[in-house]
Amino acid sequence: MNDINKTIIDAVIKKADALCPDSLALIGVYGSVAAGDEHEKSDLDLMILINDENGWVLAEGFILDDVDVGYDIYCTSWDMLERDAQCNHAHLSKLFDSKIVYCKDQNAIKKLDEMKKKAAEILSSDKRYDKANNAYCEAKKMFAEIYLTESLAKVRSCAGAAIEFIEDAVMLYNGQYFRKGTKRTFDEIRQLKLSFDLETIITDIIRAKTVDKIRERLKELLVLTKAYLQAPKKKELPSAANLWGTYEEMYSNWKNKMSEAADRDDVYSSFMNLLSLQGMFHEIAEGIAVDDFEIMDQFDSQNLEENADVFNKALRNYLAEYEKVGIFPKRFGNVAEFAEDYCKEIHKN
């Protein structure tokens, strides 16, 4: 560690001892200095971990004219570090890689190690897929924003945010985090050996000179990322246990409503009822190995009776899946027959 960095750290400790002796838990060094990637103009990345609000007095920003380097002496609370440990982003070097250069109480080290363990468990478990998907969803929000403005400045800003979320997503999906600075981002992403050229598309977005070009390339990036982020799922084989009741639910919820919508020429209800059936098909197929029937491409806003036919055909196709596992919907001629069958176990007792 060079003399400048050592002097800064010693100053922080001295100020803490004088003004808030119980507030400073530990100091860690991360970033280029800790990674051995520093140069003559590198600043100093410190994790100044504080126990309470009094510790914020240690925060400071300044510039050293003799070396022309700016420094941001920022404090981190335990709550902030706990949020990092949730792995909602992939910039976790402060948490994982900080080299501890000062610690007043060894209990702080133990507490930090527990947070590292929690974060490591997330990155090595299937939870990381959810974290990656959440980051991807944030990127989609930014994509939506670029269609709500024609300002090139706003579009570039939103596209940049989307890029950062996508970078987080692919890292988290692989159980990784960024260990180095911005200049090494692509180096770290290359190590993932992605199935698509993330670096080229990101560079194209950055170089794009028009709103339309940014939208075009960002859309491509989102599509490719979505395909890549499909979490490996083991679907259950269809069975009477996991499909029971689903056909009757579909029949009950929407079948007659489709015909009713056609009779009333109610295009909204026709659309929403068909959409609900589609949603249920997707939900079932997500966890069970049955056909994921696609029906929304057949919706016709000019022919609502045809939509009812589309619904009924899809329901019949699903019934075939139902019967394959030995489930046959109960049918009764009238409600009295139902009531008798429903209560037959009472008579047995």
Side-chain angles (χ1 to χ4, degrees):
M1 183 178 299
N2 64 42
D3 291 340
I4 292 176
N5 293 340
K6 186 177 186 306
T7 299
I8 292 172
I9 292 169
D10 288 344
V12 172
I13 297 170
K14 181 178 180 180
K15 187 171 182 176
D17 287 342
L19 300 182
C20 52
D22 296 324
S23 299
L24 180 59
L26 55 80
I27 299 176
V29 178
Y30 67 101
S32 59
V33 173
D37 197 28
E38 64 181 313
H39 55 84
E40 61 179 9
K41 296 296 184 181
S42 292
D43 62 349
L44 177 62
D45 294 308
L46 291 179
M47 177 174 67
I48 301 175
L49 195 55
I50 56 175
N51 294 318
D52 53 44
E53 292 297 313
N54 295 331
W56 286 105
V57 71
L58 302 175
E60 185 63 274
F62 59 94
I63 298 169
L64 295 182
D65 287 332
D66 57 346
V67 291
D68 192 26
V69 176
Y71 293 84
D72 180 20
I73 305 301
Y74 188 73
C75 296
T76 300
S77 69
W78 286 106
D79 286 343
M80 294 165 64
L81 206 60
E82 180 68 42
R83 287 194 291 272
D84 283 348
Q86 296 300 316
C87 299
N88 292 317
H89 58 80
H91 295 272
L92 302 172
S93 182
K94 179 194 292 186
L95 172 66
F96 280 115
D97 301 330
S98 289
K99 295 182 178 179
I100 308 305
V101 295
Y102 168 83
C103 180
K104 187 172 184 179
D105 183 353
Q106 287 300 312
N107 286 327
I109 297 289
K110 293 179 181 178
K111 189 174 180 179
L112 177 60
D113 286 342
E114 284 298 314
M115 286 187 179
K116 290 182 181 180
K117 181 179 179 182
K118 180 187 298 184
E121 287 174 352
I122 291 174
L123 293 179
S124 62
S125 72
D126 287 353
K127 291 179 182 178
R128 71 184 189 270
Y129 300 130
D130 291 332
K131 300 295 183 179
N133 183 64
N134 290 341
Y136 176 77
C137 287
E138 292 300 317
K140 289 198 296 184
K141 291 178 184 177
M142 293 298 101
F143 183 63
E145 287 290 333
I146 75 170
Y147 275 91
L148 297 175
T149 181
E150 295 300 323
S151 163
L152 181 58
K154 178 70 172 177
V155 166
R156 277 182 171 153
S157 296
C158 291
I163 287 170
E164 290 181 325
F165 284 126
I166 287 172
E167 290 170 349
D168 280 348
V170 297
M171 290 295 282
L172 293 171
Y173 180 86
N174 286 280
Q176 300 295 323
Y177 63 92
F178 290 107
R179 291 171 166 81
K180 300 180 180 180
T182 302
K183 64 184 178 182
R184 304 296 186 197
T185 295
F186 287 149
D187 292 338
E188 296 194 73
I189 287 175
R190 287 187 203 112
Q191 294 177 10
L192 302 178
K193 301 186 184 303
L194 301 178
S195 57
F196 62 104
D197 192 350
L198 178 65
E199 180 178 347
T200 295
I201 301 175
I202 288 176
T203 303
D204 285 349
I205 293 170
I206 292 170
R207 289 176 173 168
K209 296 181 179 180
T210 67
V211 167
D212 286 343
K213 189 63 176 179
I214 292 171
R215 288 171 175 166
E216 174 191 331
R217 293 299 270 159
L218 183 56
K219 177 182 177 181
E220 181 182 355
L221 179 57
L222 284 164
V223 169
L224 290 170
T225 304
K226 180 180 180 181
Y228 177 76
L229 293 179
Q230 296 303 309
K233 290 185 177 180
K234 293 182 179 179
K235 293 187 178 184
E236 298 179 26
L237 293 176
S239 67
N242 56 31
L243 291 185
W244 183 87
T246 52
Y247 173 82
E248 290 85 349
E249 182 178 351
M250 296 172 187
Y251 196 110
S252 170
N253 285 351
W254 307 297
K255 185 178 187 301
N256 290 329
K257 290 178 182 177
M258 290 299 298
S259 299
E260 182 185 1
D263 292 341
R264 294 198 325 269
D265 195 28
D266 183 351
V267 65
Y268 175 80
S269 293
S270 181
F271 178 84
M272 296 306 293
N273 292 327
L274 200 64
L275 181 65
S276 295
L277 180 65
Q278 180 71 87
M280 192 165 178
F281 283 151
H282 286 335
E283 182 180 356
I284 293 169
E286 187 173 333
I288 303 172
V290 296
D291 287 341
D292 189 3
F293 304 108
E294 293 287 352
I295 55 177
M296 291 308 295
D297 57 336
Q298 301 173 61
F299 174 79
D300 187 346
S301 62
Q302 304 300 316
N303 190 341
L304 305 192
E305 290 184 359
E306 179 63 25
N307 294 337
D309 290 340
V310 168
F311 183 100
N312 291 333
K313 180 179 179 181
L315 202 60
R316 288 195 298 272
N317 289 337
Y318 185 73
L319 179 60
E321 298 288 334
Y322 217 55
E323 292 177 342
K324 285 179 185 177
V325 296
I327 313 175
F328 298 90
K330 291 183 176 180
R331 293 181 175 273
F332 302 98
N334 53 56
V335 71
E337 291 181 8
F338 157 74
E340 181 179 356
D341 181 80
Y342 185 71
C343 296
K344 61 186 179 184
E345 292 184 4
I346 298 176
H347 303 310
K348 291 180 181 179
N349 295 328

